[in-house]
């Protein structure tokens, strides 16, 4: 038997609208999760048919922006943990997006870089990804978008850098 005192009040028992004292639905973490989920849906649509996993876009984006680098540095910049990075790189290499070559300065390491074909294919996705981002940001003004980028950059531990990591 359920004792009413032992249950969480239903939505009809609570007042309409979010409870701003609650750490759940109005928490920064949850709101960022919802926003990221919306953006991810647009990204998935944008890369449909490319054979890519959304997580692989960070790898391709870093390599496109920064050029070839060690697998370790690529992991640091993209914030992808080692085991996922290996899986992503194996798939990207098998599909011709990237290549790994021995690092001439460290026989234990590899340099990862976009292939010429991978760079072309990634560039073709650019307008689709930009469109997904624009649809996601549509409710915001240009000023709000600039402020959002600045705040997220600071929150990600990169004060004084723009969205590509270069000094302002």
């Amino acid at each position: 038997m359920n004792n009413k005192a032992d249950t969480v009040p239903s939505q009809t028992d609570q007042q309409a609208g979010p409870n701003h004292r609650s750490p759940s639905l109005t928490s920064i973490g949850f709101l960022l999760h919802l926003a990221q989920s919306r953006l991810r849906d647009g990204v998935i649509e944008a890369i449909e048919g490319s054979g890519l996993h959304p997580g692989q876009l960070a790898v391709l984006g870093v390599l496109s922006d920064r050029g070839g680098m060690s697998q370790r540095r690529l992991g640091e910049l993209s914030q992808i943990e080692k085991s996922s990075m290996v899986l992503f790189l194996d798939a990207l290499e098998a599909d011709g997006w990237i290549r790994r070559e021995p690092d001439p300065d460290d026989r234990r390491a590899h340099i990862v870089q976009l292939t010429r074909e991978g760079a072309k294919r990634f560039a073709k996705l650019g307008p689709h990804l930009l469109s997904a981002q624009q649809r996601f940001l549509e409710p915001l003004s240009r000023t709000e978008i600039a402020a959002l980028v600045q705040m997220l950059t600071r929150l990600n531990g990169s004060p004084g850098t723009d969205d590509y990591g270069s000094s302002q």
Side-chain angles (χ1 to χ4, degrees):
M1 300 248 168
N2 258 347
N3 181 348
K4 185 136 173 109
D6 292 338
T7 61
V8 176
S10 70
Q11 180 64 33
T12 56
D13 294 338
Q14 299 174 0
Q15 48 179 278
N19 178 348
H20 294 286
R21 293 182 306 261
S22 168
S24 57
L25 298 180
T26 58
S27 73
I28 296 293
F30 186 68
L31 293 172
L32 285 171
H33 165 74
L34 291 177
Q36 191 275 336
S37 293
R38 274 193 55 236
L39 180 58
R40 182 181 172 92
D41 290 345
V43 166
I44 289 170
E45 184 180 316
I47 64 174
E48 190 174 340
S50 69
L52 291 173
H53 177 280
Q56 294 169 323
L57 291 174
V59 171
L60 297 173
V62 169
L63 292 173
S64 179
D65 287 353
R66 299 280 183 96
M69 65 187 67
S70 73
Q71 192 167 315
R72 187 178 135 278
R73 182 68 178 142
L74 181 57
E76 290 169 358
L77 290 173
S78 64
Q79 292 292 292
I80 297 172
E81 55 95 19
K82 287 180 186 180
S83 62
S84 293
M85 178 62 77
V86 169
L87 293 172
F88 286 167
L89 294 179
D90 287 348
L92 289 168
E93 191 168 38
D95 290 341
W97 290 90
I98 59 115
R99 72 173 168 269
R100 289 180 274 196
E101 298 174 348
D103 184 336
D105 299 325
D106 183 351
R107 293 186 313 169
R108 300 165 296 162
H110 288 92
I111 300 294
V112 182
Q113 50 195 348
L114 282 174
T115 62
R116 191 169 276 132
E117 182 62 26
K120 279 191 224 175
R121 289 162 61 196
F122 188 62
K124 280 185 179 179
L125 287 176
H128 302 284
L129 292 167
L130 183 58
S131 178
Q133 178 177 288
Q134 289 169 335
R135 283 191 308 275
F136 170 74
L137 294 171
E138 202 168 50
L140 303 178
S141 70
R142 286 179 186 236
T143 302
E144 290 171 322
I145 293 169
L148 177 64
V149 168
Q150 184 180 43
M151 289 183 282
L152 289 172
T153 301
R154 281 192 2 233
L155 287 170
N156 286 318
S158 304
T161 60
D162 63 20
D163 55 339
Y164 296 104
S166 61
S167 295
Q168 292 180 348

